[in-house]
Amino acid sequence: MTYERDIIRRMAGYAPGEQPADTGVIKLNTNENPWPPSPHVVDALAAVGAESLRRYPSPSAAAFLGEAAALHGVSAEQLVATNGGDELLRLAITTFVPPGRPIAIAEPSYSLYPVLAAIHDSPVHRITLDDDWSLPGGFAEELNDANVPLTLLVNPHAPSGRLLDAATIATFASALKGVLLVDEAYVDFADPGHDVVSLIANHDNLMILRTLSKGYSLAGLRLGYGIGPADLIRPIAAKTRDSYSVDAVADRLGAAALADQETARASWIAVRRERQRLTETLRDRGFEVPDSEANFCLARVPADAPASAATLHAGLKADGILVRHFDTPRLRDHLRISVGTPEQNDALLESLRVQLNR
Amino acid sequence: MTYERDIIRRMAGYAPGEQPADTGVIKLNTNENPWPPSPHVVDALAAVGAESLRRYPSPSAAAFLGEAAALHGVSAEQLVATNGGDELLRLAITTFVPPGRPIAIAEPSYSLYPVLAAIHDSPVHRITLDDDWSLPGGFAEELNDANVPLTLLVNPHAPSGRLLDAATIATFASALKGVLLVDEAYVDFADPGHDVVSLIANHDNLMILRTLSKGYSLAGLRLGYGIGPADLIRPIAAKTRDSYSVDAVADRLGAAALADQETARASWIAVRRERQRLTETLRDRGFEVPDSEANFCLARVPADAPASAATLHAGLKADGILVRHFDTPRLRDHLRISVGTPEQNDALLESLRVQLNR
């Protein structure tokens, strides 16, 4: 006898990237920041006392929200802290989408989106991206015609790294009848000057997802947040979120991380520099690599290469280097490579050179 | 314009107990363990390095699951780690209950249950407890007739502390057609010898919730887990749970806490001793207090007392002592008092003595 709901039995779960226990592996497969978190975060960890562990944490993660409000120039009512950005994605679905109504996503994008939709029993309305990974014209009208209550848009785009500018996001928010959630998981690595947060003042349907997993080197901590108009944030913060979903350690360490912008910015600058080098080197060797404003590159293996993407992926792994390969029709001949330290990127490029003999 | 779903707009959120920032308050309102966590937990915290924060954690919280498997004599496939026990409650609903189908709970019990049901758009099938907080006869047949896919039963019961024995739980599991989730948040404080975990071998519909918040003094860490037959655990662990819902810090500290049974058991013994003293002293003063096997007592204020429960609650707060008062018809004349240290309990009893002049 099975007790699972039919929709759960029929669906497949999310397949996370490999997380090896061996710390000697060069891990360029799940888009961690290759640089360590702020030393102030490590200090804050040492200062967490037994009493903070014994008691329940602040229900809202007040220390963290205070820092986030100061950083973004918004009020605490325009913010909600979550157990990683992934929790905010689920909560947006729970809060804004009646089961059965469609959720719109670009195809391809973050592979968790369709899993969350399946759990919610909502069909996925896929917007097929153009060859250059841009959104096709007229997609907003198409979504409005389909009465879509929530659109999930990762920007910079995963897995291509392509960035839509703020003016384009504003146009989409104005055009869409439902909620537009812009997943800015990778936005810290975009070239300076990009700003979508200021748009929430004029768009009552716009919510922004941020995470400390990438830009602040804290993937192990599970801390994300949402920024949006207070009316969009309130039902999530006060109703649909699990009680105490952010723990006392994340509350303090997250605050310490946001307060040290200098360390984080230095890592973003280093990632941009290496991203540029990786992109140019791979292009020189015949890979097709779109301009990325994230901390990864999507590299299309040359059609005349002596090894497929899957073979290169396995060869890299044999050399102790993990990258991501998605076995889907559109991505099968690509590798998604997180930008590592110069030494890690050198090792990656050398392994590819030996495998491809160029 | 509002973007909330109708059911979310109509519902009220969960009201957590007060979590004051002031650590001088005597906090007997949210059932924390009054004794500190294991020193090995504090050591494990100090040993969490920057690299563990930078990388994604183990998707399954493997270190913690290994300790839990050893402790309970079950396999890792019979366990799932969650972001506090509260996440497991939500996941059981998501996994086993089609929206609209009823969720059964005892009334009164944990006030989060109906909130989770409301978010899921499921009606609550309430089983009204008898005057002595026991379950009425024939309730299993009633739930089967109503085609209830999930029953949530907190044992020891909250807020009374009453414990159903394992044989009774076995009878319920056999009688119920749906899943029975036994919420053992407080079970560590029950008198030794109580064992429901061994029942999962013979009941394919029985899941047990455990948490480190109470018995292991780690409410700030947010770590709970489920124990059940592999077929019940699998869809939660592999499909419905958020990716990486347990962070790297909780994985390590939780493992350290379970590994140090000695420290935890010493706190349980101390709590039982003070629970007994608190119960007897309150009874001597005319309060009605059921036998509790949890780390709290439910005290009914004598009808002839010069102050109501609400007044006493406010008077205690004025004295720097927080307890919980539920303003519902059945609980309005009660106080739920977490068992504190001897000094904290002395302060509570003295404040009540002064207020009641007895």
Side-chain angles (χ1 to χ4, degrees), chain A residues 1 3-5 8-9 11 13-14 16-17 19-20 22-23 25 27 30 32-37 41-42 45 48 50 52-57 59 83 86-87 90 94-99 110 112 119-120 177-179 204-205 213-214 217-222 232 235 238-240 242-245 247-249 253, chain B residues 1 3-5 8-9 11 13-14 16-17 19-20 22-23 25 27 30 32-37 41-42 45 48 50 52-57 59 83 86-87 90 94-99 112 119-120 177-179 204-205 213-214 217-222 232 235 238-240 242-249 253:
Chain A
M1 158 119 202
Y3 296 93
E4 276 174 85
R5 294 165 59 188
I8 304 295
R9 196 171 62 244
M11 67 172 278
Y14 173 68
Q19 307 297 353
D22 176 5
T23 53
V25 170
K27 203 168 168 305
T30 54
E32 284 107 335
N33 191 325
W35 306 101
V41 169
V42 179
L45 184 71
V48 173
S52 298
L53 297 174
R54 188 187 69 81
R55 287 191 177 204
Y56 278 95
N83 189 38
D86 290 348
E87 188 186 23
R90 173 174 54 73
T94 301
T95 309
F96 304 121
V97 184
Y110 184 23
L112 181 66
I119 295 169
H120 196 64
K177 287 195 294 191
V179 172
D204 70 353
N205 64 335
S213 294
K214 324 284 183 180
S217 309
L218 290 172
L221 195 62
R222 313 308 300 129
L232 281 193
K239 297 182 182 177
T240 52
D242 283 354
S243 58
Y244 308 106
S245 70
D247 65 73
V249 179
L253 272 57
Chain B
M1 158 118 203
Y3 295 93
E4 277 174 85
R5 291 165 60 188
I8 304 296
R9 196 171 61 245
M11 67 172 277
Y14 174 67
Q19 307 298 352
D22 176 5
T23 53
V25 170
K27 201 168 170 305
T30 53
E32 283 107 335
N33 191 324
W35 306 101
V41 169
V42 180
L45 184 71
V48 173
S52 297
L53 298 174
R54 187 187 70 79
R55 286 191 178 204
Y56 277 94
N83 189 38
D86 290 348
E87 188 186 22
R90 172 173 55 74
T94 301
T95 308
F96 304 121
V97 184
L112 180 66
I119 294 170
H120 196 65
K177 288 195 293 193
V179 172
D204 70 354
N205 64 335
S213 294
K214 325 284 184 183
S217 308
L218 291 172
L221 195 62
R222 314 309 300 130
L232 280 193
K239 296 181 183 178
T240 53
D242 282 354
S243 58
Y244 308 107
S245 70
V246 172
D247 64 74
V249 178
L253 272 59

Side-chain angles (χ1 to χ4, degrees), chain A residues 26 28 34-35 191 268-287 289-292 294-297 299 337-353:
Chain A
I26 295 179
L28 305 177
W35 306 101
D191 292 336
W268 307 341
I269 290 167
V271 164
R272 286 179 203 129
R273 192 188 307 123
E274 280 297 296
R275 177 178 74 204
Q276 187 65 21
R277 181 172 75 98
L278 203 54
T279 301
E280 287 168 5
T281 309
L282 290 168
R283 283 178 181 165
D284 285 348
R285 297 186 189 175
F287 287 83
V289 187
D291 287 334
S292 169
N295 69 332
F296 51 80
C297 294
I337 304 165
S338 307
V339 177
T341 62
E343 296 71 25
Q344 292 175 326
N345 300 332
D346 283 346
L348 169 100
L349 290 168
E350 176 61 13
S351 172
L352 287 176
R353 192 194 62 75

Side-chain angles (χ1 to χ4, degrees), chain B residues 64 68 72 79-82 88 208-210 212 224-227 258:
Chain B
F64 172 71
H72 294 292
L79 293 166
V80 59
T82 54
L88 184 67
I208 297 161
L209 178 153
R210 292 290 187 101
L212 277 76
Y225 57 110
I227 316 172
L258 291 189

Side-chain angles (χ1 to χ4, degrees), chain A residues 24-27 315-322:
Chain A
V25 170
I26 295 179
K27 203 168 168 305
L316 286 164
K317 187 168 179 176
D319 285 345
I321 303 165
L322 297 182

Side-chain angles (χ1 to χ4, degrees), chain A:
Chain A
M1 158 119 202
T2 179
Y3 296 93
E4 276 174 85
R5 294 165 59 188
D6 287 346
I7 62 152
I8 304 295
R9 196 171 62 244
R10 287 195 302 262
M11 67 172 278
Y14 173 68
E18 196 176 347
Q19 307 297 353
D22 176 5
T23 53
V25 170
I26 295 179
K27 203 168 168 305
L28 305 177
N29 65 329
T30 54
N31 299 340
E32 284 107 335
N33 191 325
W35 306 101
S38 162
H40 296 297
V41 169
V42 179
D43 292 347
L45 184 71
V48 173
E51 182 64 6
S52 298
L53 297 174
R54 188 187 69 81
R55 287 191 177 204
Y56 278 95
S58 158
S60 65
F64 172 71
L65 286 195
E67 281 296 337
L71 176 64
H72 295 293
V74 300
S75 70
E77 290 68 37
Q78 293 171 306
L79 292 165
V80 59
T82 53
N83 189 38
D86 290 348
E87 188 186 23
L88 184 67
L89 294 172
R90 173 174 54 73
L91 291 172
I93 292 172
T94 301
T95 309
F96 304 121
V97 184
R101 292 270 299 280
I103 294 162
I105 64 171
E107 180 65 33
S109 64
Y110 184 23
S111 55
L112 181 66
Y113 298 157
V115 174
L116 294 173
I119 295 169
H120 196 64
D121 203 11
S122 275
V124 174
H125 189 109
R126 290 184 161 81
I127 311 155
T128 303
L129 294 176
D130 290 340
D131 282 348
D132 66 350
W133 311 103
S134 65
L135 282 157
F139 86 93
E141 293 68 26
E142 181 187 316
L143 299 189
N144 289 339
D145 288 347
N147 209 6
V148 168
L150 177 66
T151 300
L152 304 175
L153 205 62
V154 56
N155 190 48
H157 177 247
S160 74
R162 188 188 167 103
L163 183 77
L164 296 173
D165 64 20
T168 304
I169 298 291
T171 308
F172 292 166
S174 296
L176 288 169
K177 287 195 294 191
V179 172
L180 173 63
L181 188 151
V182 180
D183 178 346
E184 293 196 338
Y186 301 104
V187 80
D188 296 317
F189 303 105
D191 292 336
H194 180 74
D195 170 34
V196 169
V197 172
S198 62
L199 300 180
I200 66 166
N202 295 311
H203 296 274
D204 70 353
N205 64 335
L206 178 63
M207 182 172 293
I208 296 162
L209 178 154
R210 292 289 186 103
T211 177
L212 277 77
S213 294
K214 324 284 183 180
Y216 295 87
S217 309
L218 290 172
L221 195 62
R222 313 308 300 129
L223 182 60
Y225 57 110
I227 315 172
D231 285 346
L232 281 193
I233 293 290
R234 193 178 304 112
I236 295 178
K239 297 182 182 177
T240 52
R241 194 176 52 147
D242 283 354
S243 58
Y244 308 106
S245 70
V246 171
D247 65 73
V249 179
D251 186 15
R252 284 154 173 251
L253 272 57
L258 290 189
D260 181 7
Q261 288 293 302
E262 199 178 339
T263 299
R265 280 181 202 281
S267 78
W268 307 341
I269 290 167
V271 164
R272 286 179 203 129
R273 192 188 307 123
E274 280 297 296
R275 177 178 74 204
Q276 187 65 21
R277 181 172 75 98
L278 203 54
T279 301
E280 287 168 5
T281 309
L282 290 168
R283 283 178 181 165
D284 285 348
R285 297 186 189 175
F287 287 83
E288 205 175 289
V289 187
D291 287 334
S292 169
E293 299 230 18
N295 69 332
F296 51 80
C297 294
L298 184 68
R300 184 177 200 170
V301 178
D304 62 350
S308 69
T311 304
L312 291 173
H313 173 263
L316 286 164
K317 187 168 179 176
D319 285 345
I321 303 165
L322 297 182
V323 300
R324 196 85 191 255
H325 179 242
F326 298 98
D327 194 14
T328 61
R330 190 146 175 198
L331 294 171
R332 196 164 286 149
D333 55 351
H334 292 73
L335 296 173
R336 192 199 64 188
I337 304 165
S338 307
V339 177
T341 62
E343 296 71 25
Q344 292 175 326
N345 300 332
D346 283 346
L348 169 100
L349 290 168
E350 176 61 13
S351 172
L352 287 176
R353 192 194 62 75
V354 170
Q355 289 190 68
L356 294 173
N357 197 26
R358 61 167 137 179

